[in-house]
């Protein structure tokens, strides 16, 4: 394999992706190509900074996602972290560690997907790094967003009496991945025929997740959310983070959890209890948070106007950090502090 | 291997590393632990953003560097990129992709080294990401620095008649690595005895490089540098970048290149022409730049006062992008546009 021509490849992947007008209006003084990018600082704003990494064989396998999906999702996961603070995503830096199997054309497709996500959310890709790697692709993305000074929505403001909300159904991404891995294990190539594919909506949820920037902005602008997380590691894990940061108990109601019909019927086909995916499945990128009862009516009405789902799924109670689920039968079950294990070893 | 407890490990590696006073004075509103970090924006300043990644088997091997060295250097490489723009390093985000062999104690040592570098340069580590990986450690660092608005030193300002300068000798890191790899290849464990180790200064240069923040600041504050790069990929590669960005020719003089005595004698022992390391060896993290003749005396005097080396190593001439070397014998040799290949395949 010829040595990676780092500079040529970076140019091929990044040049001409943004117009000069877009970069200027975004405050980019200097983008890809020097030792560091330069951006302007605006008064009255604070910067949000986050970093999220995708590793081949851990977050995806050849066949579970196309090259473009990997690029799209690497950026989308970071957009979701900015959304979870109520911010606006602005800039991204992208580091790729490229093994021999990820040829230049394949990497080109990855960057196609990455820039498709950047364009959708108005993000300027302003720098990064490219190195070779012995095995398995790594895509590390840093995202910078803005937020009104002092207004970023944290995890530690939930107090007893407030309600727990969710901005969309969960478990879809985990269901989609489950199907892809089953097909793989049974020897059916994911791209070729053989064996039923998961419903398109579940595949789409896994491969092209939709971060909740608009929902985050509505929550911030109205000061509604007392805590907020994006569902990257599953409701259970995110609820635990809020419970611990706020030192409260989150009591979720099974009957109130949004269930996608497609998910339920596919879970039936697979013989998996859908609640496993709904509670412990990650990467749905909806928002989980808490808000005061006094805001409930106004919140519901505004989300309805915007066409964004809003589900009340439980309430905040006192009594030390914890999360439970009240089942449909009226029993209290503990919700475990665990996230989704993408690729369990056995 | 037990699954990586991401949150527990992140806490173990990052908690208590910075004092509250330091974080406040650094403008950190919210550090590690939420979806994103929050930092304040200051008027009159711009942000520098850069990302640099170290991959096991590409940038280091077990035995060429200790765990703490890997952490230190991962941060130092990014500090150097900020220095190359004349900026002040401020914040870092760190993403690690951890294979099973990198146990929690080994990762703890890595973070010891990383924070040692952070402390030395006054950098707040404000976020990051931790994932597992099937093989080979990856450490991706994003660094954010500040620079006076409009003043960042770029690569494109060199014009004919100016001189080329260098803020320290080069080739030391490459010489050190050469020795480490030779010992490895001959079956001598690097940590155990057997076979001569490279001189300590060369080992130190490879394992604990010293980014040139102070030199960068002096150049920026006085407006002296018309172009500037840090020597991460070797003089040859950095000179080519300046030549191309500025559309000029850089004529380097062999007689003017700084040669470390230790490097020359060790190169003799190894049977390697020292010029190979001096021109094509990377990761010395000194600064290479250009400046106007009218500044020469003042620059020299100021650098002498500060105790920072300053070598004039050539001049800028017209005639399209290119780099040559005038040899001691008075011949002109082309300098190739290539960086150092850490671990050539054969």
């Amino acid at each position: 394999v010829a040595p990676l021509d780092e500079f040529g490849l970076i140019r091929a992947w990044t040049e001409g992706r943004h117009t000069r007008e877009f970069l200027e209006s975004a405050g980019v003084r200097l983008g890809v190509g020097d030792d560091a990018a330069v951006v302007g600082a605006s008064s009255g704003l604070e910067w949000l900074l986050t970093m999220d990494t995708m590793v081949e064989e851990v977050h995806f396998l050849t066949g579970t996602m196309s090259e473009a999906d990997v690029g799209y999702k690497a950026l989308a996961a970071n957009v979701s972290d900015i959304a979870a603070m109520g911010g606006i995503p602005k800039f991204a830096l992208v580091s790729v560690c490229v093994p021999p199997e990820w040829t230049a054309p394949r990497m080109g497709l990855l960057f196609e997907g990455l820039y498709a996500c950047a364009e959708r959310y108005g993000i300027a890709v302003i720098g990064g790094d490219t190195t070779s790697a012995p095995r398995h692709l790594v895509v590390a993305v840093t995202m910078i967003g803005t937020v009104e000074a002092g207004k970023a929505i944290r995890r530690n403001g939930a107090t007893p009496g407030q309600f727990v909300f969710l901005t969309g159904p969960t478990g879809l991404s985990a269901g989609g991945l489950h199907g892809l891995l089953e097909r793989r294990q049974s020897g059916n190539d994911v791209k070729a025929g053989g064996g039923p594919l998961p419903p398109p909506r579940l595949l789409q949820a896994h491969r092209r997740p939709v971060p909740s920037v608009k929902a985050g902005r509505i929550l911030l602008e109205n000061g509604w959310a007392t805590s907020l997380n994006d569902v990257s590691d599953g409701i259970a894990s995110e609820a635990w983070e809020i419970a611990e940061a706020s030192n409260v108990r989150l009591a979720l109601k099974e009957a109130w959890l949004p269930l996608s019909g497609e998910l339920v019927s596919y879970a039936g086909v697979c013989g998996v209890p859908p609640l496993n995916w709904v509670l412990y499945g990650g990467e749905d990128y909806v928002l989980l948070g808490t808000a005061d009862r006094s805001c409930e009516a106004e919140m519901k009405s505004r989300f309805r106007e915007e066409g964004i789902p809003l589900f009340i799924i439980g309430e905040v109670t006192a009594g030390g950090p914890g999360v439970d689920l009240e089942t449909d039968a009226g029993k209290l079950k503990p919700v475990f502090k665990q996230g989704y294990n993408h690729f369990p070893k056995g």
Side-chain angles (χ1 to χ4, degrees), chain A residues 228-243:
Chain A
L228 195 64
N229 261 3
D230 64 316
V231 182
S232 48
D233 294 315
I235 292 182
S237 173
E238 309 299 341
W240 265 99
E241 283 186 10
I242 289 173

Side-chain angles (χ1 to χ4, degrees), chain A residues 58-261:
Chain A
V58 175
H59 298 90
F60 63 93
L61 301 167
T62 301
T64 65
M65 293 175 71
S66 75
E67 290 85 353
D69 290 336
V70 172
Y72 193 98
K73 190 166 175 177
L75 212 71
N78 282 276
V79 172
S80 185
D81 280 324
I82 299 295
M85 306 295 286
I88 301 172
K90 297 281 285 180
F91 309 115
L93 293 96
V94 180
S95 164
V96 287
C97 307
V98 185
E101 312 81 59
W102 281 77
T103 57
R106 290 187 70 197
M107 289 301 298
L109 294 172
L110 184 148
F111 275 85
E112 286 293 331
L114 190 143
Y115 276 93
C117 184
E119 197 177 328
R120 171 145 178 199
Y121 292 94
I123 293 156
V125 178
I126 58 172
D129 187 31
T130 302
T131 66
S132 58
R135 213 184 83 184
H136 65 76
L137 182 77
V138 173
V139 186
V141 174
T142 297
M143 190 154 293
I144 299 98
T146 55
V147 68
E148 292 76 0
K151 300 285 186 196
I153 309 173
R154 300 170 61 168
R155 293 178 180 153
N156 60 357
T159 56
Q162 296 179 339
F163 62 88
V164 182
F165 65 81
L166 190 64
T167 67
T170 59
L172 283 74
S173 174
L177 176 60
H178 174 94
L180 291 169
L181 292 179
E182 287 286 302
R183 282 167 61 89
R184 204 183 145 91
Q185 210 155 30
S186 68
N188 289 321
D189 185 274
V190 175
K191 287 169 184 166
L197 263 177
R201 192 175 166 209
L202 274 54
L203 287 179
Q204 186 77 1
H206 179 66
R207 292 171 169 167
R208 296 270 172 152
V210 181
S212 309
V213 177
K214 181 75 187 167
R217 291 302 293 162
I218 293 172
L219 293 167
L220 181 135
E221 284 163 3
N222 294 280
W224 283 329
T226 56
S227 73
L228 195 64
N229 261 3
D230 64 316
V231 182
S232 48
D233 294 315
I235 292 182
S237 173
E238 309 299 341
W240 265 99
E241 283 186 10
I242 289 173
E244 290 186 325
S246 302
N247 195 28
V248 292
R249 183 163 283 274
L250 266 55
L252 312 181
K253 312 258 189 221
E254 186 176 354
W256 297 357
L257 292 174
L259 291 177
S260 137

Side-chain angles (χ1 to χ4, degrees), chain A residues 16-29 90-91 122-124:
Chain A
R17 297 285 192 166
H18 297 308
T19 65
R20 180 184 299 268
E21 290 71 29
F22 167 69
L23 292 173
E24 268 173 25
S25 70
V28 178
R29 311 266 195 271
K90 297 281 285 180
F91 309 115
I123 293 156

